[in-house]
Amino acid sequence: MTGRRLAASVAAVLVTAVTVGGAAASPGSSTASDKNIVQTANEAGQFKTLVALVKRAGLAGALTGSTNVTVFAPTDKAFAKVPPATLRKLQRNRALLRSVLLYHVAKGNVKAAQVVKLRTVKTLNGATVRVGVKGNRVYLNRKVRVVKTDIEASNGTIHVIDGVLIPPTS
């Protein structure tokens, strides 16, 4: 299968698997499209840790404005996999917390069909995240899996991931 056909096939699978609040959704529809990224994440109920950390880092304003962004959003279960000492360190060091959180955000409204065609995504912390496709699954940095895609918000898109991305150290 050619790269383009594989990408189209994976995108179709991802779009089919999208759910918002338990109901199937297509990329062009969403019950949350009138709400911004933070409101949408907060109402989903599975991003409590992410929303709390975004607020603690002072990034809520950046994710509620009119600039379109794409967020690769770790669930509460993903944050539960992070060692408690690491989470405490992030909570105490605002600059480090901002760096980690911005490593989950890309400029623009990048839908699943676009993500699968990319090799890397440049994040707002300046580093890039690697994108890989294995079978019908999309992975970021080879380990973190995209589990839901194209959850629309008024200022961008959320892709749900099953792990926390840690940026490379300088």
Side-chain angles (χ1 to χ4, degrees):
M1 183 177 283
T2 68
R4 283 187 185 195
R5 285 181 48 208
L6 175 62
S9 172
V10 170
V13 169
L14 289 174
V15 168
T16 302
V18 174
T19 61
V20 178
S26 65
S29 69
S30 172
T31 57
S33 63
D34 60 331
K35 297 181 180 2
N36 63 48
I37 297 265
V38 174
Q39 291 168 327
T40 301
N42 194 43
E43 287 184 5
Q46 63 180 339
F47 304 109
K48 291 176 183 142
T49 305
L50 177 63
V51 171
L53 291 174
V54 163
K55 289 177 181 178
R56 184 177 192 98
L59 294 173
L63 298 177
T64 59
S66 60
T67 302
N68 280 335
V69 294
T70 299
V71 177
F72 295 97
T75 63
D76 292 333
K77 287 181 181 180
F79 276 105
K81 297 177 192 175
V82 176
T86 302
L87 277 179
R88 283 192 301 275
K89 180 179 178 181
L90 288 173
Q91 290 174 338
R92 286 191 296 252
N93 185 334
R94 189 173 182 186
L96 183 59
L97 177 60
R98 288 176 65 90
S99 176
V100 169
L101 293 174
L102 290 173
Y103 191 58
H104 291 81
V105 183
K107 184 178 180 182
N109 197 353
V110 186
K111 301 293 188 187
Q114 296 167 283
V115 171
V116 297
K117 294 177 184 176
L118 301 173
R119 298 241 188 258
T120 61
V121 174
K122 184 167 182 169
T123 66
L124 293 187
N125 93 339
T128 58
V129 171
R130 288 181 298 207
V131 178
V133 178
K134 294 179 188 174
N136 288 333
R137 296 182 178 184
V138 175
Y139 290 88
L140 305 176
N141 290 346
R142 296 187 178 140
K143 294 181 182 179
V144 175
R145 188 166 61 100
V146 178
V147 294
K148 290 183 185 177
T149 61
D150 293 339
I151 299 172
E152 294 185 24
S154 62
N155 62 331
T157 299
I158 298 171
H159 300 299
V160 182
I161 58 177
D162 70 354
V164 176
L165 299 167
I166 303 297
T169 55
S170 317

